[in-house]
Amino acid sequence: EQTQDYVRSTFGERVGALVPHPLFALPRRFRVVADGDFDEEVSDPAWNPNEVALLDRAPVPAPSPTARARLVSVHTDIRRMGATVECSEPALFVVAFPLPMTRFDGEGKIFVDGESVPVLRANRNFHAVALPSGTHTIVLRPTFGP
């Protein structure tokens, strides 16, 4: 005879505190976070993903806290997903959905103005790229498999 025990738990107890993220963000600041510390950092209620990106390493070029950056357009076609961004100084572009990637080194994953750029791990499960000043077209090209 099989028995099934059911345990009552809340959604929060099962998945933890979820922090809403914009699909694309242009935060002016960042903090480098060790792999083991991402969970604690993203759970901090004072953290705002629109203001501060949590990264696995420092971006090059580093975003300027005084940069004026804006999304000019968003491209949602699966064959050319990405955005056009305009920034007065170096900025950080965060992609807030998991891209199938085999690693976070950026080879052939995210392109800025047609060039492959290094990809940073951002906000635990997402990705970011550093942008120089100017207007840029960002294209996301997820890879599948090893």
Side-chain angles (χ1 to χ4, degrees):
E1 179 180 330
Q2 281 188 315
T3 62
Q4 183 82 27
D5 291 325
Y6 293 94
V7 177
R8 286 186 178 260
S9 62
T10 67
F11 182 77
E13 289 170 333
R14 286 187 191 176
V15 299
L18 297 176
V19 176
H21 293 258
L23 181 60
F24 300 123
L26 297 160
R28 292 181 180 192
R29 295 179 293 127
F30 71 92
R31 275 197 322 263
V32 175
V33 176
D35 267 353
D37 296 335
F38 270 108
D39 286 342
E40 182 180 333
E41 293 282 338
V42 299
S43 299
D44 181 350
W47 172 63
N48 180 345
N50 289 309
E51 297 294 324
V52 178
L54 304 174
L55 304 175
D56 66 340
R57 62 188 185 276
V60 177
S64 170
T66 61
R68 289 182 321 279
R70 71 181 186 99
L71 283 171
V72 175
S73 61
V74 173
H75 315 287
T76 58
D77 185 320
I78 193 67
R79 296 163 295 180
R80 192 178 178 274
M81 187 176 287
T84 300
V85 173
E86 185 178 89
C87 47
S88 63
E89 298 176 66
L92 192 62
F93 179 78
V94 178
V95 178
F97 58 88
L99 290 170
M101 297 174 79
T102 55
R103 56 185 186 250
F104 286 95
D105 65 6
E107 286 185 27
K109 314 303 187 272
I110 298 180
F111 293 78
V112 175
D113 301 328
E115 299 291 325
S116 178
V117 295
V119 176
L120 306 163
R121 181 177 179 190
N123 305 340
R124 181 177 48 194
N125 296 321
F126 304 128
H127 304 84
V129 294
L131 301 174
S133 61
T135 301
H136 306 286
T137 300
I138 299 137
V139 177
L140 312 174
R141 291 198 185 141
T143 59
F144 301 91

